[in-house]
Amino acid sequence: MWEQIKQALLQSTARFLTEFASLLPGLAALIVAVLLSLVLGWVLAIVVRRVLIGLRFDQRMAGWGFASMGEGSPLGSPTALVSRSLFLLVVLTGFLIGVAAFDFAWTSLFVRSILSYIPNIIGAVLVLVVGTIIARFVARSVLIGAVNLNLQYARLLSEGVKWLVIVLSVAMALEHLRIARGIVELAFGILFGGIVFGLALAIGLGSRDLVTKSLERDTKKAPEEIEDPLRHL
Amino acid sequence: MATNSIPASPPEEAKPIESADLVIGILADLSPEAVTTMCQTLGTLPGSLRIAVLQNGDPVNPSPANRSATPQSSTVSFAPSLLAKPGGAGTAPLNMAAAYQSVFAAGEKLGSRACCILASRLESETGRSAYRLAEPLLNGELDLVVPRYARHRFEGLLNSSIVAPLMRALYGKRLSNPMGPDFGVSRRLVQRLVGRERTGRGAANGLHPLASLTPLALCENLHVAELHLGTRSYPPPDWTNTASLVAEILGPVFLDIERNAACWQRMRVSAAVPAIGEPVSVQSDTASLDTSRLVESFALANRELQEIWSLILPPSTLVELRKLSRLRSEEFQMPDDVWVRIVYDFALAHRLRPINRDHLLKSMTPLYLGWVASYAHDLERDNAVPPDQRLERLAGAFEAGKPYFVSRWRWPDRFNP
């Protein structure tokens, strides 16, 4: 009886040690891959940072409407954001290569599913970045246009338009990531509709006095008062 | 000696014109009578000249009753097909540019000695304006004749407050209307302009004849003179479109400053140019302006556009603007040196592009309206100076501020007060 127990223990220990030994090359490969990717990512991040500084990337981003991104933002300046993202991407790739070195069915499945999901992530990030750029550009256009039309609610209008575009791009990005599609659609509809309704209400109520004043001024004006002597050209 | 050949019936391009000594482009909306008078006057130009008139629409068909009795020494023919058709709003500056270019192209094609462009309606003597623009050019004395209009005090303010004093300070010649729009241009200048367009420095970089003619002539040391043309008829302002107007006018001017940087940095002081004709004075110039809307627009912009202005203007100017926005409407007063620095800083920002250029130019509109309010207040004070003296003082401030602009242009990062 004791012999049988001893035999079973020895066999299980041998099996465990064999299994563990078979894991070691994969583990070593994972450590090497992560270390290499850390070094490679660090070098690449430094190179990209220097190139972007040389290209005055931060100033250009400020020109495109990202002036406030670096000030007090947890993401730092646009240059820092790009170089850190690149570093993380390289480290993640190294980790996935290391994981794939384990010759198990579940690891290859895991890596395959992650790799097949990467295009969705890239697409979603692109949608978000482009959406944010468009949102800021449109917001600035609306703000300047509204100020030139002497609209007191220029800022509100500009912010409203900006958030409309951002909400739209976030919804599109989540749709791309295939995350809780039903909820996203519903939430998007509610948010988008809410912003439009809020803007309409705010502008409608806010401009009530303006419209009244404008109508009063038009009816009270004598014909000779309408003539404006100002000529720009 | 040829006789007047204003066609008795519309010519329908039956006999295409192959050459001309003088090309006249009529871009203004003139009455048939005015065009007839103009053609008859042009016919009296000495030297048996062949004159091609470019005008959209049907050419005039003068009846025997309104034919001139004066002897005609030159031949006038119509060539409407050589003129670009204005699309949409015919007087918009960008459409005007295409029309100007087509007149110059026609001048080149026909081998003319000079081109004249009439783009505005004058309140008197419209019929003689082409003759007066062409005459000094055909004598071979001048390369560019620019107009000098008699104006009421609130007319042409975008030109008086920015374009004219800026060009005077930069290019060193005191011109009242450097952007015309009525011009007389010699063959030599047309060739230089067309040459610049062909070498790719022009059209690709947004070369705009209205803005580029005068700087080009001044940088090439050509002979420029002013012609007293009387009073213009101005279109009433479109308040919803002021920002677009500012952007369309100042965009080409700022582009040209960038293109001619090597030239204007050499100029030190300004000088007057010869004037042709007698000055015309305007009558009953007592109009007053309601400045409350202008000051409101400035104050609103000062509140909402700080984020944008801070990318363009130095902190010291922003502080000045904040102080101005706290003034009551009737006390509003923008010092000349502040306005001059604003214009120079916007011209520099147009080159450096810290923000989109259209946004940049449109965000300048409330500042311009603020200056207009300040100018109106200046003219309505008890001890007010006449408008011409007030504008002369502003032009002096632009000249005094030029070293600031040159420093910022050369060292935009280092020199930032």
Side-chain angles (χ1 to χ4, degrees):
Chain A
M1 178 69 182
W2 177 243
E3 274 304 311
Q4 283 172 334
I5 292 169
K6 195 176 166 186
Q7 191 74 23
L9 268 174
L10 282 173
Q11 277 175 0
S12 72
T13 308
R15 227 178 10 248
F16 171 76
L17 287 174
T18 313
E19 290 284 321
F20 185 72
S22 70
L23 265 181
L24 278 178
L27 200 63
L30 174 66
I31 291 167
V32 169
V34 169
L35 283 176
L36 274 178
S37 65
L38 277 171
V39 173
L40 189 68
W42 182 67
V43 171
L44 267 178
I46 288 176
V47 171
V48 167
R49 185 191 295 261
R50 293 209 172 155
V51 168
L52 292 180
I53 288 171
L55 292 173
R56 299 162 64 93
F57 184 65
D58 288 350
Q59 287 91 329
R60 283 172 199 269
M61 289 297 283
W64 296 336
F66 292 87
S68 55
M69 206 165 152
E71 293 158 11
S73 162
L75 298 170
S77 68
T79 300
L81 179 66
V82 171
S83 55
R84 279 178 203 164
S85 304
L86 188 72
F87 174 75
L88 286 177
L89 193 70
V90 172
V91 172
L92 182 70
T93 310
F95 177 72
L96 287 176
I97 291 169
V99 168
F102 291 100
D103 196 17
F104 296 134
W106 67 268
T107 51
S108 6
L109 199 67
F110 171 71
V111 170
R112 208 173 297 142
S113 65
I114 292 266
L115 286 177
S116 68
Y117 198 62
I118 281 178
N120 294 50
I121 296 172
I122 293 172
V125 169
L126 270 179
V127 166
L128 265 182
V129 169
V130 172
T132 312
I133 290 172
I134 292 173
R136 286 176 183 251
F137 187 87
V138 173
R140 194 176 268 177
S141 298
V142 169
L143 179 66
I144 294 171
V147 165
N148 282 326
L149 287 173
N150 229 352
L151 301 179
Q152 296 299 319
Y153 47 83
R155 173 69 61 182
L156 177 73
L157 201 61
S158 153
E159 289 291 318
V161 169
K162 185 172 89 179
W163 282 106
L164 273 178
V165 179
I166 287 177
V167 165
L168 181 68
S169 58
V170 167
M172 284 168 71
L174 288 175
E175 173 78 18
H176 224 75
L177 292 173
R178 289 176 287 184
I179 296 173
R181 283 178 172 174
I183 295 171
V184 167
E185 278 173 19
L186 190 67
F188 169 70
I190 291 169
L191 263 177
F192 201 86
I195 292 173
V196 172
F197 183 64
L199 270 179
L201 255 177
I203 291 167
L205 292 173
S207 59
R208 198 175 51 186
D209 290 343
L210 194 79
V211 174
T212 314
K213 272 185 204 167
S214 162
L215 287 174
E216 279 174 0
R217 197 161 47 198
D218 282 350
T219 50
K220 282 177 189 168
K221 247 179 196 168
E224 62 271 15
E225 284 177 336
I226 295 170
E227 184 61 39
D228 192 335
L230 184 59
R231 301 286 183 269
H232 299 294
L233 271 182
Chain B
M1 185 182 288
T3 55
N4 178 15
S5 75
I6 298 170
S9 60
E12 295 173 357
E13 298 281 319
K15 208 174 159 189
I17 303 165
E18 288 173 354
S19 65
D21 297 299
L22 175 65
V23 169
I24 306 285
I26 302 176
L27 311 183
D29 186 19
L30 301 184
S31 66
E33 292 75 27
V35 177
T36 305
T37 313
M38 184 179 292
C39 293
Q40 286 167 351
T41 321
L42 284 169
T44 63
L45 277 167
S48 301
L49 303 171
R50 288 157 301 161
I51 302 167
V53 175
L54 279 52
Q55 187 195 20
N56 281 322
D58 293 332
V60 288
N61 182 14
S63 61
N66 60 18
R67 276 183 186 274
S68 172
T70 51
Q72 304 284 298
S73 55
S74 297
T75 313
V76 181
S77 313
F78 282 89
S81 64
L82 294 174
L83 189 63
K85 302 276 187 294
T91 53
L94 289 177
N95 290 324
M96 293 283 277
Y100 274 72
Q101 275 159 347
S102 68
V103 174
F104 295 142
E108 274 280 283
K109 187 180 170 190
L110 301 175
S112 70
R113 285 157 54 193
C115 294
C116 294
I117 296 176
L118 298 162
S120 57
R121 289 176 64 182
L122 303 174
E123 288 182 356
S124 63
E125 290 205 326
T126 302
R128 278 188 58 77
S129 54
Y131 180 97
R132 297 181 64 212
L133 278 169
E135 196 186 20
L137 295 167
L138 293 169
N139 290 340
E141 299 159 4
L142 294 172
D143 292 294
L144 178 66
V145 179
V146 290
R148 186 180 182 98
Y149 305 109
R151 57 166 177 254
H152 292 90
R153 55 188 186 167
F154 294 122
E155 286 178 347
L157 287 186
L158 193 55
N159 173 62
S160 310
S161 64
I162 304 175
V163 180
L166 183 62
M167 286 205 186
R168 167 175 160 170
L170 296 187
Y171 300 107
K173 293 287 181 210
R174 294 174 192 168
L175 296 168
S176 171
N177 293 85
M179 285 182 80
D182 304 307
F183 280 116
V185 189
S186 72
R187 179 182 173 79
R188 188 162 43 167
L189 182 52
V190 169
Q191 283 175 334
R192 303 250 170 120
L193 190 73
V194 173
R196 211 183 235 206
E197 281 175 8
R198 282 188 190 141
T199 52
R201 287 187 294 161
N205 289 338
L207 192 75
H208 193 298
L210 268 171
S212 303
L213 260 180
T214 304
L216 178 62
L218 297 176
C219 287
E220 300 272 344
N221 287 321
L222 301 179
H223 300 290
V224 181
E226 279 190 314
L227 174 68
H228 289 285
L229 273 180
T231 319
R232 268 181 80 192
S233 297
Y234 293 87
D238 176 3
W239 281 99
T240 58
N241 208 21
T242 310
S244 299
L245 184 73
V246 169
E248 282 174 4
I249 294 295
L250 295 185
V253 172
F254 288 165
L255 264 180
D256 229 55
I257 288 174
E258 191 176 341
R259 199 178 289 126
N260 296 323
C263 163
W264 58 256
Q265 288 185 58
R266 289 197 303 269
M267 308 283 182
R268 286 285 173 263
V269 288
S270 73
V273 296
I276 304 166
E278 291 299 316
V280 180
S281 56
V282 293
Q283 294 168 343
S284 64
D285 195 8
T286 54
S288 64
L289 189 66
D290 175 16
T291 56
S292 57
R293 179 178 44 184
L294 307 174
V295 178
E296 266 175 35
S297 177
F298 173 82
L300 176 66
N302 192 62
R303 206 169 58 235
E304 304 293 0
L305 299 185
Q306 281 290 328
E307 182 199 343
I308 294 169
W309 287 352
S310 64
L311 297 170
I312 301 162
L313 301 171
S316 56
T317 309
L318 291 173
V319 170
E320 291 287 342
L321 292 177
R322 269 188 222 116
K323 280 184 199 163
L324 286 177
S325 69
R326 285 197 286 268
L327 295 174
R328 287 190 302 160
S329 174
E330 58 273 19
E331 291 171 350
F332 188 83
Q333 181 70 43
M334 187 184 285
D336 280 350
D337 60 329
V338 173
W339 173 240
V340 167
R341 283 185 174 220
I342 287 170
V343 173
Y344 282 144
D345 285 324
F346 270 84
L348 178 72
H350 192 268
R351 172 196 171 204
L352 299 177
R353 298 189 196 216
I355 61 168
N356 172 278
R357 280 181 166 170
D358 192 51
H359 289 168
L360 174 105
L361 294 168
K362 286 183 174 168
S363 72
M364 193 180 173
T365 309
L367 295 167
Y368 160 68
L369 296 179
W371 179 86
V372 173
S374 171
Y375 168 75
H377 290 158
D378 276 350
L379 297 187
E380 282 162 12
R381 280 181 220 294
D382 293 338
N383 55 351
V385 293
D388 284 348
Q389 279 184 37
R390 175 67 191 84
L391 294 175
E392 181 60 28
R393 201 172 75 203
L394 177 68
F398 265 89
E399 289 192 38
K402 187 175 173 182
Y404 167 81
F405 185 45
V406 173
S407 304
R408 288 221 66 196
W409 190 273
R410 288 181 183 166
W411 306 287
D413 292 329
R414 278 164 51 195
F415 186 82
N416 197 358

